[in-house]
Amino acid sequence: MNTSTSATWLEEAWQQGVHKTIRNAKRIQDTFPHISPQGVYDKNDPEWWTAGFWPGLLWLVYRDDPQHEAAADLQRIAASCERQLEDCLRDPDLVDHDLGFVWLLSGVARYRQMGSEDGRRRGMLAANLLAARFHVRGEFIRAWNFRSSMMDTRGVAIIDSMMNLPLLYWASEQSSDPRFRWLAEAHADTVAREFVRADGSICHVVEFDPHTGQKLREHGGQGHAPGSAWARGTAWALHGFALSFRYTGEARYLETAERAADFFLAMLGEDIVPVWDFRAPAEHRAAWDSSAAAIAASGLFELAKLSPRGPTYAAAGERIVRGLYERYSPAESVAEEGLIMQGTVHYPEGRGINVPIIYGDYFYMEALAKLRGYEGLF
Ligand code: GLY
């Protein structure tokens, strides 16, 4: 299934994203933006899980036109971000399971674009640290290090992890060592069993007994409550399982991705951007999550190539990403730095509500790139 299209709106959307990213790069430089609450991106810490999205966005733009007059600057800034991120790899307390998000979009992206041996070395180091988080008895990758009164994080895994597994698949390809892939598949199987409900809705956080590995309970996490359906978590699942299928060819991952996608699309209905939790009660439905829409659209373009129902997923992805451009993307003449409006970071904690978010911007541009015919992997 070819997802590529040459529609005028698509070219306008891509060029607008490119121009704004180049404009943003002049100010943001090699810092780590997270949200744009008042039209300007903040500066976040390099150890936060979102630190790879800015260099990833720069590489996405760079790869489309390495001859562009801004290309050398984009490359320089992305490489400088990567050097800063390497410091985090020296401290086991600073790394968590989001090594995939961070390193696929920085060091591994630079290796894929430029053949950089430093990028490969750092990517392999990150993959080794991610593999070391595998819980042998529970067969899951431990998400976080921090201590919490709500749960014992030694036994916690979260749905977002599905997007980190491609770092392990990549490491197996690079090294011809199958262990990374085995760990990724074992984790994906645990997630499919313990997080994906019969109706295709997804749980954000599962706590396992850290000693036995047995499942103890679900937590609402960034969703409304246990049993609810956090929109971005659903998007992580549909996209992440589609990528596991792309790397392994194991049909069970395709089936799981399709279940999550079908649930996402049924709950979205005619909308473009979902409410932050599909099951949020009426008094909590005024927060939206454009990042979930962008992550889902890019994942739907994976399913478009991989699933027998590809045309349905391609059409749904195109409807979403076109709607993001036409209704959520500020015109180039507007000073706003964010590429798409109305994302929500963490509704239960009241953080980043209805604002542009760097991973929303990244996946919006990734979805546009796929629709323009880009078939590679970041
Ligand atoms: N990975 C955390 C989030 O999606 O907000």
Side-chain angles (χ1 to χ4, degrees), residues 34 49-50 97-98 101 144 158 160 204 222 230 232-233 236 291 295 344-346 359:
H34 180 208
W49 74 277
T50 54
H97 74 142
D98 286 321
F101 278 122
W144 301 315
I158 67 173
D160 325 32
H204 182 200
Q222 281 163 265
W230 180 42
R232 190 158 64 250
W236 290 142
S291 77
I295 294 157
T344 288
V345 172
H346 198 319
Y359 42 85

PDB file of all heavy atoms in Angstrom, residues 34 49-50 97-98 101 144 158 160 204 222 230 232-233 236 291 295 344-346 359, ligand 1:
ATOM      1  N   HIS A  34      10.079  21.707  25.247  1.00  0.00           N
ATOM      2  CA  HIS A  34       9.043  20.730  25.605  1.00  0.00           C
ATOM      3  C   HIS A  34       7.656  21.248  25.242  1.00  0.00           C
ATOM      4  O   HIS A  34       6.974  20.648  24.435  1.00  0.00           O
ATOM      5  CB  HIS A  34       9.150  20.396  27.101  1.00  0.00           C
ATOM      6  CG  HIS A  34       8.130  19.399  27.566  1.00  0.00           C
ATOM      7  ND1 HIS A  34       7.659  19.346  28.854  1.00  0.00           N
ATOM      8  CD2 HIS A  34       7.476  18.428  26.899  1.00  0.00           C
ATOM      9  CE1 HIS A  34       6.764  18.374  28.959  1.00  0.00           C
ATOM     10  NE2 HIS A  34       6.630  17.803  27.798  1.00  0.00           N
ATOM     11  N   TRP A  49      12.364  12.867  29.232  1.00  0.00           N
ATOM     12  CA  TRP A  49      12.147  11.878  28.167  1.00  0.00           C
ATOM     13  C   TRP A  49      11.904  12.496  26.795  1.00  0.00           C
ATOM     14  O   TRP A  49      12.036  11.826  25.779  1.00  0.00           O
ATOM     15  CB  TRP A  49      10.977  10.959  28.530  1.00  0.00           C
ATOM     16  CG  TRP A  49       9.609  11.598  28.416  1.00  0.00           C
ATOM     17  CD1 TRP A  49       9.002  12.378  29.347  1.00  0.00           C
ATOM     18  CD2 TRP A  49       8.714  11.516  27.305  1.00  0.00           C
ATOM     19  NE1 TRP A  49       7.777  12.790  28.889  1.00  0.00           N
ATOM     20  CE2 TRP A  49       7.570  12.269  27.642  1.00  0.00           C
ATOM     21  CE3 TRP A  49       8.753  10.890  26.065  1.00  0.00           C
ATOM     22  CZ2 TRP A  49       6.476  12.419  26.774  1.00  0.00           C
ATOM     23  CZ3 TRP A  49       7.671  11.030  25.206  1.00  0.00           C
ATOM     24  CH2 TRP A  49       6.546  11.792  25.565  1.00  0.00           C
ATOM     25  N   THR A  50      11.593  13.793  26.778  1.00  0.00           N
ATOM     26  CA  THR A  50      11.256  14.454  25.510  1.00  0.00           C
ATOM     27  C   THR A  50      12.475  15.022  24.774  1.00  0.00           C
ATOM     28  O   THR A  50      12.313  15.638  23.722  1.00  0.00           O
ATOM     29  CB  THR A  50      10.273  15.607  25.787  1.00  0.00           C
ATOM     30  OG1 THR A  50      10.847  16.461  26.790  1.00  0.00           O
ATOM     31  CG2 THR A  50       8.945  15.088  26.304  1.00  0.00           C
ATOM     32  N   HIS A  97      13.265   4.033  30.768  1.00  0.00           N
ATOM     33  CA  HIS A  97      12.947   3.234  29.569  1.00  0.00           C
ATOM     34  C   HIS A  97      12.795   4.105  28.328  1.00  0.00           C
ATOM     35  O   HIS A  97      12.707   3.573  27.222  1.00  0.00           O
ATOM     36  CB  HIS A  97      11.674   2.420  29.805  1.00  0.00           C
ATOM     37  CG  HIS A  97      10.440   3.249  29.774  1.00  0.00           C
ATOM     38  ND1 HIS A  97       9.263   2.810  29.216  1.00  0.00           N
ATOM     39  CD2 HIS A  97      10.193   4.514  30.208  1.00  0.00           C
ATOM     40  CE1 HIS A  97       8.347   3.760  29.310  1.00  0.00           C
ATOM     41  NE2 HIS A  97       8.878   4.795  29.914  1.00  0.00           N
ATOM     42  N   ASP A  98      12.764   5.423  28.477  1.00  0.00           N
ATOM     43  CA  ASP A  98      12.587   6.298  27.321  1.00  0.00           C
ATOM     44  C   ASP A  98      13.870   6.511  26.523  1.00  0.00           C
ATOM     45  O   ASP A  98      13.934   7.376  25.638  1.00  0.00           O
ATOM     46  CB  ASP A  98      11.979   7.631  27.758  1.00  0.00           C
ATOM     47  CG  ASP A  98      10.503   7.454  28.100  1.00  0.00           C
ATOM     48  OD1 ASP A  98       9.828   6.687  27.390  1.00  0.00           O
ATOM     49  OD2 ASP A  98      10.038   8.070  29.074  1.00  0.00           O
ATOM     50  N   PHE A 101      13.010   6.668  22.762  1.00  0.00           N
ATOM     51  CA  PHE A 101      12.569   7.970  22.236  1.00  0.00           C
ATOM     52  C   PHE A 101      13.777   8.885  22.044  1.00  0.00           C
ATOM     53  O   PHE A 101      13.896   9.578  21.035  1.00  0.00           O
ATOM     54  CB  PHE A 101      11.633   8.659  23.238  1.00  0.00           C
ATOM     55  CG  PHE A 101      10.193   8.221  23.205  1.00  0.00           C
ATOM     56  CD1 PHE A 101       9.590   7.703  24.344  1.00  0.00           C
ATOM     57  CD2 PHE A 101       9.428   8.362  22.065  1.00  0.00           C
ATOM     58  CE1 PHE A 101       8.255   7.328  24.336  1.00  0.00           C
ATOM     59  CE2 PHE A 101       8.094   7.992  22.048  1.00  0.00           C
ATOM     60  CZ  PHE A 101       7.506   7.475  23.191  1.00  0.00           C
ATOM     61  N   TRP A 144      10.455   3.335  35.220  1.00  0.00           N
ATOM     62  CA  TRP A 144      10.997   4.510  35.913  1.00  0.00           C
ATOM     63  C   TRP A 144      11.905   4.114  37.078  1.00  0.00           C
ATOM     64  O   TRP A 144      11.817   3.009  37.614  1.00  0.00           O
ATOM     65  CB  TRP A 144       9.843   5.337  36.500  1.00  0.00           C
ATOM     66  CG  TRP A 144       8.852   5.825  35.501  1.00  0.00           C
ATOM     67  CD1 TRP A 144       9.113   6.399  34.292  1.00  0.00           C
ATOM     68  CD2 TRP A 144       7.408   5.795  35.641  1.00  0.00           C
ATOM     69  NE1 TRP A 144       7.937   6.734  33.676  1.00  0.00           N
ATOM     70  CE2 TRP A 144       6.871   6.384  34.478  1.00  0.00           C
ATOM     71  CE3 TRP A 144       6.526   5.354  36.629  1.00  0.00           C
ATOM     72  CZ2 TRP A 144       5.495   6.521  34.261  1.00  0.00           C
ATOM     73  CZ3 TRP A 144       5.171   5.488  36.431  1.00  0.00           C
ATOM     74  CH2 TRP A 144       4.662   6.068  35.258  1.00  0.00           C
ATOM     75  N   ILE A 158       4.933   0.806  31.549  1.00  0.00           N
ATOM     76  CA  ILE A 158       3.898   1.699  31.008  1.00  0.00           C
ATOM     77  C   ILE A 158       3.803   1.514  29.489  1.00  0.00           C
ATOM     78  O   ILE A 158       4.751   1.068  28.840  1.00  0.00           O
ATOM     79  CB  ILE A 158       4.151   3.187  31.376  1.00  0.00           C
ATOM     80  CG1 ILE A 158       5.396   3.749  30.690  1.00  0.00           C
ATOM     81  CG2 ILE A 158       4.279   3.336  32.893  1.00  0.00           C
ATOM     82  CD1 ILE A 158       5.572   5.261  30.912  1.00  0.00           C
ATOM     83  N   ASP A 160       3.775   3.511  26.978  1.00  0.00           N
ATOM     84  CA  ASP A 160       4.674   4.321  26.150  1.00  0.00           C
ATOM     85  C   ASP A 160       5.904   3.519  25.708  1.00  0.00           C
ATOM     86  O   ASP A 160       6.514   3.793  24.675  1.00  0.00           O
ATOM     87  CB  ASP A 160       5.154   5.565  26.913  1.00  0.00           C
ATOM     88  CG  ASP A 160       4.115   6.139  27.846  1.00  0.00           C
ATOM     89  OD1 ASP A 160       3.295   5.366  28.388  1.00  0.00           O
ATOM     90  OD2 ASP A 160       4.114   7.361  28.054  1.00  0.00           O
ATOM     91  N   HIS A 204      -2.677   2.653  30.944  1.00  0.00           N
ATOM     92  CA  HIS A 204      -1.393   3.359  30.880  1.00  0.00           C
ATOM     93  C   HIS A 204      -0.307   2.663  31.688  1.00  0.00           C
ATOM     94  O   HIS A 204       0.786   2.414  31.208  1.00  0.00           O
ATOM     95  CB  HIS A 204      -1.532   4.816  31.354  1.00  0.00           C
ATOM     96  CG  HIS A 204      -0.237   5.583  31.247  1.00  0.00           C
ATOM     97  ND1 HIS A 204       0.003   6.727  31.945  1.00  0.00           N
ATOM     98  CD2 HIS A 204       0.895   5.346  30.530  1.00  0.00           C
ATOM     99  CE1 HIS A 204       1.225   7.174  31.658  1.00  0.00           C
ATOM    100  NE2 HIS A 204       1.778   6.356  30.796  1.00  0.00           N
ATOM    101  N   GLN A 222      -1.438   8.790  33.389  1.00  0.00           N
ATOM    102  CA  GLN A 222      -1.805  10.076  32.778  1.00  0.00           C
ATOM    103  C   GLN A 222      -3.240  10.055  32.247  1.00  0.00           C
ATOM    104  O   GLN A 222      -3.718  11.046  31.714  1.00  0.00           O
ATOM    105  CB  GLN A 222      -0.812  10.452  31.683  1.00  0.00           C
ATOM    106  CG  GLN A 222       0.473  11.039  32.272  1.00  0.00           C
ATOM    107  CD  GLN A 222       1.620  11.059  31.295  1.00  0.00           C
ATOM    108  OE1 GLN A 222       2.442  10.139  31.274  1.00  0.00           O
ATOM    109  NE2 GLN A 222       1.703  12.094  30.490  1.00  0.00           N
ATOM    110  N   TRP A 230      -6.721   6.634  28.178  1.00  0.00           N
ATOM    111  CA  TRP A 230      -5.872   7.801  27.885  1.00  0.00           C
ATOM    112  C   TRP A 230      -5.604   7.826  26.370  1.00  0.00           C
ATOM    113  O   TRP A 230      -5.111   6.844  25.797  1.00  0.00           O
ATOM    114  CB  TRP A 230      -4.574   7.661  28.669  1.00  0.00           C
ATOM    115  CG  TRP A 230      -3.576   8.752  28.500  1.00  0.00           C
ATOM    116  CD1 TRP A 230      -3.802  10.096  28.457  1.00  0.00           C
ATOM    117  CD2 TRP A 230      -2.156   8.579  28.377  1.00  0.00           C
ATOM    118  NE1 TRP A 230      -2.618  10.771  28.320  1.00  0.00           N
ATOM    119  CE2 TRP A 230      -1.601   9.867  28.261  1.00  0.00           C
ATOM    120  CE3 TRP A 230      -1.316   7.471  28.362  1.00  0.00           C
ATOM    121  CZ2 TRP A 230      -0.233  10.079  28.127  1.00  0.00           C
ATOM    122  CZ3 TRP A 230       0.048   7.663  28.233  1.00  0.00           C
ATOM    123  CH2 TRP A 230       0.586   8.958  28.121  1.00  0.00           C
ATOM    124  N   ARG A 232      -3.444   9.455  24.399  1.00  0.00           N
ATOM    125  CA  ARG A 232      -2.078   9.308  23.887  1.00  0.00           C
ATOM    126  C   ARG A 232      -1.565   7.881  24.105  1.00  0.00           C
ATOM    127  O   ARG A 232      -0.828   7.347  23.282  1.00  0.00           O
ATOM    128  CB  ARG A 232      -1.129  10.335  24.512  1.00  0.00           C
ATOM    129  CG  ARG A 232       0.209  10.355  23.816  1.00  0.00           C
ATOM    130  CD  ARG A 232       0.992  11.640  24.012  1.00  0.00           C
ATOM    131  NE  ARG A 232       1.385  11.922  25.359  1.00  0.00           N
ATOM    132  CZ  ARG A 232       0.876  12.900  26.122  1.00  0.00           C
ATOM    133  NH1 ARG A 232      -0.071  13.693  25.641  1.00  0.00           N
ATOM    134  NH2 ARG A 232       1.299  13.095  27.350  1.00  0.00           N
ATOM    135  N   GLY A 233      -1.986   7.253  25.202  1.00  0.00           N
ATOM    136  CA  GLY A 233      -1.583   5.864  25.437  1.00  0.00           C
ATOM    137  C   GLY A 233      -2.120   4.944  24.346  1.00  0.00           C
ATOM    138  O   GLY A 233      -1.436   4.011  23.911  1.00  0.00           O
ATOM    139  N   TRP A 236       0.137   5.560  21.436  1.00  0.00           N
ATOM    140  CA  TRP A 236       1.439   4.873  21.605  1.00  0.00           C
ATOM    141  C   TRP A 236       1.289   3.393  21.273  1.00  0.00           C
ATOM    142  O   TRP A 236       2.163   2.780  20.659  1.00  0.00           O
ATOM    143  CB  TRP A 236       1.974   5.006  23.030  1.00  0.00           C
ATOM    144  CG  TRP A 236       2.456   6.343  23.530  1.00  0.00           C
ATOM    145  CD1 TRP A 236       2.272   6.841  24.793  1.00  0.00           C
ATOM    146  CD2 TRP A 236       3.259   7.334  22.848  1.00  0.00           C
ATOM    147  NE1 TRP A 236       2.877   8.069  24.920  1.00  0.00           N
ATOM    148  CE2 TRP A 236       3.495   8.393  23.750  1.00  0.00           C
ATOM    149  CE3 TRP A 236       3.782   7.424  21.561  1.00  0.00           C
ATOM    150  CZ2 TRP A 236       4.239   9.532  23.409  1.00  0.00           C
ATOM    151  CZ3 TRP A 236       4.525   8.569  21.214  1.00  0.00           C
ATOM    152  CH2 TRP A 236       4.737   9.584  22.121  1.00  0.00           C
ATOM    153  N   SER A 291      -1.310  15.903  20.192  1.00  0.00           N
ATOM    154  CA  SER A 291      -0.149  15.004  20.049  1.00  0.00           C
ATOM    155  C   SER A 291      -0.628  13.574  19.833  1.00  0.00           C
ATOM    156  O   SER A 291      -0.050  12.826  19.039  1.00  0.00           O
ATOM    157  CB  SER A 291       0.787  15.102  21.261  1.00  0.00           C
ATOM    158  OG  SER A 291       0.285  14.413  22.384  1.00  0.00           O
ATOM    159  N   ILE A 295       0.538  11.275  16.712  1.00  0.00           N
ATOM    160  CA  ILE A 295       1.183   9.964  16.924  1.00  0.00           C
ATOM    161  C   ILE A 295       0.357   8.876  16.237  1.00  0.00           C
ATOM    162  O   ILE A 295       0.894   7.974  15.574  1.00  0.00           O
ATOM    163  CB  ILE A 295       1.291   9.670  18.443  1.00  0.00           C
ATOM    164  CG1 ILE A 295       2.231  10.661  19.116  1.00  0.00           C
ATOM    165  CG2 ILE A 295       1.716   8.224  18.693  1.00  0.00           C
ATOM    166  CD1 ILE A 295       1.991  10.836  20.615  1.00  0.00           C
ATOM    167  N   THR A 344      -2.058  18.054  25.241  1.00  0.00           N
ATOM    168  CA  THR A 344      -2.130  18.020  26.701  1.00  0.00           C
ATOM    169  C   THR A 344      -1.074  17.057  27.223  1.00  0.00           C
ATOM    170  O   THR A 344      -1.034  15.884  26.845  1.00  0.00           O
ATOM    171  CB  THR A 344      -3.536  17.605  27.164  1.00  0.00           C
ATOM    172  OG1 THR A 344      -4.419  18.706  26.904  1.00  0.00           O
ATOM    173  CG2 THR A 344      -3.570  17.298  28.654  1.00  0.00           C
ATOM    174  N   VAL A 345      -0.220  17.580  28.115  1.00  0.00           N
ATOM    175  CA  VAL A 345       0.890  16.788  28.659  1.00  0.00           C
ATOM    176  C   VAL A 345       0.386  15.835  29.737  1.00  0.00           C
ATOM    177  O   VAL A 345       0.543  14.615  29.633  1.00  0.00           O
ATOM    178  CB  VAL A 345       1.988  17.717  29.227  1.00  0.00           C
ATOM    179  CG1 VAL A 345       3.048  16.926  29.977  1.00  0.00           C
ATOM    180  CG2 VAL A 345       2.626  18.533  28.110  1.00  0.00           C
ATOM    181  N   HIS A 346      -0.196  16.382  30.810  1.00  0.00           N
ATOM    182  CA  HIS A 346      -0.573  15.545  31.972  1.00  0.00           C
ATOM    183  C   HIS A 346      -1.784  16.194  32.631  1.00  0.00           C
ATOM    184  O   HIS A 346      -1.630  17.041  33.511  1.00  0.00           O
ATOM    185  CB  HIS A 346       0.615  15.459  32.927  1.00  0.00           C
ATOM    186  CG  HIS A 346       0.536  14.329  33.917  1.00  0.00           C
ATOM    187  ND1 HIS A 346      -0.622  13.974  34.568  1.00  0.00           N
ATOM    188  CD2 HIS A 346       1.496  13.462  34.354  1.00  0.00           C
ATOM    189  CE1 HIS A 346      -0.384  12.957  35.374  1.00  0.00           C
ATOM    190  NE2 HIS A 346       0.896  12.612  35.260  1.00  0.00           N
ATOM    191  N   TYR A 359       6.591  16.761  21.078  1.00  0.00           N
ATOM    192  CA  TYR A 359       6.373  15.462  20.413  1.00  0.00           C
ATOM    193  C   TYR A 359       5.143  15.502  19.514  1.00  0.00           C
ATOM    194  O   TYR A 359       5.071  14.736  18.547  1.00  0.00           O
ATOM    195  CB  TYR A 359       6.312  14.293  21.400  1.00  0.00           C
ATOM    196  CG  TYR A 359       5.547  14.512  22.669  1.00  0.00           C
ATOM    197  CD1 TYR A 359       4.173  14.321  22.728  1.00  0.00           C
ATOM    198  CD2 TYR A 359       6.191  14.881  23.837  1.00  0.00           C
ATOM    199  CE1 TYR A 359       3.472  14.492  23.911  1.00  0.00           C
ATOM    200  CE2 TYR A 359       5.502  15.075  25.020  1.00  0.00           C
ATOM    201  CZ  TYR A 359       4.146  14.885  25.049  1.00  0.00           C
ATOM    202  OH  TYR A 359       3.456  15.077  26.226  1.00  0.00           O
TER     203      TYR A 359
HETATM  204  N1  GLY B   1       5.632   9.280  27.704  1.00  0.00           N
HETATM  205  C1  GLY B   1       4.843  10.138  28.500  1.00  0.00           C
HETATM  206  C2  GLY B   1       3.781  10.815  27.754  1.00  0.00           C
HETATM  207  O1  GLY B   1       3.363  10.360  26.708  1.00  0.00           O
HETATM  208  O2  GLY B   1       3.349  11.865  28.228  1.00  0.00           O
END
